Amino acid sequence: MNSIKFLYSAYAATWTIHLLYIGSLVRRYRRLKQELSELKQK
Amino acid sequence: MKRLFPILAVLTALMLGYAVYQALVVAPTERTMGDVQRIFYYHVPSAWTAFLLFFVNLVASVAYLVKRNPKVDALAMVSAEVGVVFCTVVLVTGPIWARPVWGIWWTWDVRLTSTLVLWLIYVSYLLLRRFSDSAQAPALAAALAIFGALDIPLVYFSIWFFRTQHPQPVIGGGGSIDPRMWRVLLINWMAFLCFALLMCWSRYRLETMRREVEEAQALESLLGDDRGPSAEIRNPKVALNRSGQ
């Protein structure tokens, strides 16, 4: 049984989930910033 | 506060690095499971963090129903969202740990099923927040959060009351754990708590900003295009403060 493979998979999965969430926060922040600047220009 | 965020971010990154080192190198190897048991140092702290965030969501939801304060409502939403992220980690790392140890990825026993139900409840909560335009949506979501929180003790205590595949809890389960493993577990939990705090902080700022933009857009559509930028845009904290009065 190659348990190391499962260990690293679990750690990689954890950080993938967290990074995807942080990425979604950054994306939403950029979109809001864009909307805010468009509103300011009007 | 703006200066505190990068300092906390650097400290959290250092703590997370130290916690990984402790989990992979310093913690002793478990006798029966071997190295795969080290998933424990991510799986259990993630579960505790998710429970804590769902509890914050419960308290904030009750507070919102009592006081109708939009800041508290934002806190409820933020804690639920970050809680779902940590609960997802639990549901993904659990089967990866189960496969080499139990020989199966998943079983429909009480602990695993109730955790999946908990995740589904809070995903429903977030979908309600996301797609409902009704003014009653925050109150409905708060009520859903209170019912959803009833599942938290069921998840935790299920392994006491039912025979399940899942091992006994680390705290109060009657089992024993090596003190060195305890130490590494607590280091990892502290690191994840700081990380969760950072994510909640960022998400709260984002939520504040989203509400400002929404209010400004609504105001602009009411006033027309010729009035110039609204107060919400010029002063970013107006929206939440004004609706909180």
Side-chain angles (χ1 to χ4, degrees), chain B residues 115-138:
Chain B
T115 309
L116 179 63
V117 168
L118 184 73
W119 184 83
L120 288 170
I121 289 170
Y122 283 96
V123 168
S124 317
Y125 171 92
L126 294 176
L127 290 174
L128 174 65
R129 302 303 307 252
R130 175 72 182 80
F131 294 108
S132 176
D133 291 332
S134 160
Q136 292 300 313

Side-chain angles (χ1 to χ4, degrees), chain B residues 1-233:
Chain B
M1 289 293 271
K2 277 186 179 176
R3 283 183 186 171
L4 190 63
F5 188 86
I7 295 169
L8 190 62
V10 170
L11 284 176
T12 303
L14 290 173
M15 274 182 79
L16 285 166
Y18 180 65
V20 172
Y21 170 73
Q22 289 285 321
L24 293 178
V25 180
V26 177
T29 307
E30 209 265 347
R31 250 179 294 171
T32 48
M33 287 185 267
D35 280 329
V36 78
Q37 183 270 344
R38 294 176 198 274
I39 294 175
F40 169 79
Y41 302 112
Y42 267 33
H43 182 74
V44 175
S46 296
W48 289 351
T49 308
F51 289 159
L52 186 70
L53 288 166
F54 291 149
F55 181 71
V56 171
N57 171 263
L58 169 70
V59 173
S61 298
V62 171
Y64 177 74
L65 288 177
V66 174
K67 294 190 171 178
R68 303 281 167 161
N69 184 339
K71 286 182 182 174
V72 175
D73 176 52
L75 176 66
M77 215 222 65
V78 165
S79 54
E81 193 173 295
V82 180
V84 164
V85 173
F86 277 92
C87 198
T88 308
V89 169
V90 176
L91 284 169
V92 170
T93 54
I96 296 174
W97 189 2
R99 183 68 184 85
V101 175
W102 298 343
I104 47 170
W105 292 101
W106 183 266
T107 178
W108 293 100
D109 84 344
V110 186
R111 168 52 82 89
L112 278 70
T113 309
S114 57
T115 309
L116 179 63
V117 168
L118 184 73
W119 184 83
L120 288 170
I121 289 170
Y122 283 96
V123 168
S124 317
Y125 171 92
L126 294 176
L127 290 174
L128 174 65
R129 302 303 307 252
R130 175 72 182 80
F131 294 108
S132 176
D133 291 332
S134 160
Q136 292 300 313
L140 286 172
L144 175 64
I146 292 167
F147 284 110
L150 294 175
D151 194 35
I152 301 171
L154 179 67
V155 172
Y156 193 80
F157 294 110
S158 58
I159 41 185
W160 290 10
F161 301 133
F162 302 97
R163 283 188 59 173
T164 80
Q165 187 96 9
H166 197 280
Q168 287 296 299
V170 178
I171 295 177
S176 62
I177 178 172
D178 188 305
R180 288 171 298 170
M181 289 181 171
W182 247 121
R183 191 178 146 273
V184 175
L185 179 67
L186 290 178
I187 289 169
N188 272 274
W189 191 35
M190 286 303 113
F192 275 115
L193 276 180
C194 290
F195 187 53
L197 178 71
L198 274 179
M199 286 206 282
C200 286
W201 189 347
S202 309
R203 184 64 186 85
Y204 185 83
R205 281 164 63 180
L206 192 69
E207 182 63 16
T208 310
M209 198 172 159
R210 188 188 67 79
R211 290 177 186 213
E212 286 160 13
V213 170
E214 269 187 12
E215 287 216 2
Q217 282 170 340
L219 208 66
E220 201 214 359
S221 63
L222 278 175
L223 297 175
D225 290 342
D226 54 344
R227 298 288 183 94
S230 64
E232 280 81 358
I233 305 169

Side-chain angles (χ1 to χ4, degrees), chain A residues 1 3-11 13-15 17-18 21-22 24-25 28-33 35-36 39-40 42, chain B residues 16 23-24 35-36 38-39 42 81-82 85-86 89 92-93 96 99-100 105 195 199 203 206 209-210 213 217 220 229 233:
Chain A
M1 183 176 64
S3 62
I4 287 287
K5 184 178 72 181
F6 289 98
L7 172 65
Y8 288 135
S9 301
Y11 277 46
T14 300
W15 286 109
I17 291 165
H18 286 309
Y21 180 64
I22 291 169
S24 86
L25 289 183
R28 282 185 271 180
Y29 176 76
R30 282 187 185 151
R31 200 177 57 225
L32 277 174
K33 199 127 196 201
E35 283 182 33
L36 205 61
L39 275 168
K40 276 180 182 171
K42 285 183 182 176
Chain B
L16 285 166
L24 293 178
D35 280 329
V36 78
R38 294 176 198 274
I39 294 175
Y42 267 33
E81 193 173 295
V82 180
V85 173
F86 277 92
V89 169
V92 170
T93 54
I96 296 174
R99 183 68 184 85
W105 292 101
F195 187 53
M199 286 206 282
R203 184 64 186 85
L206 192 69
M209 198 172 159
R210 188 188 67 79
V213 170
Q217 282 170 340
E220 201 214 359
I233 305 169

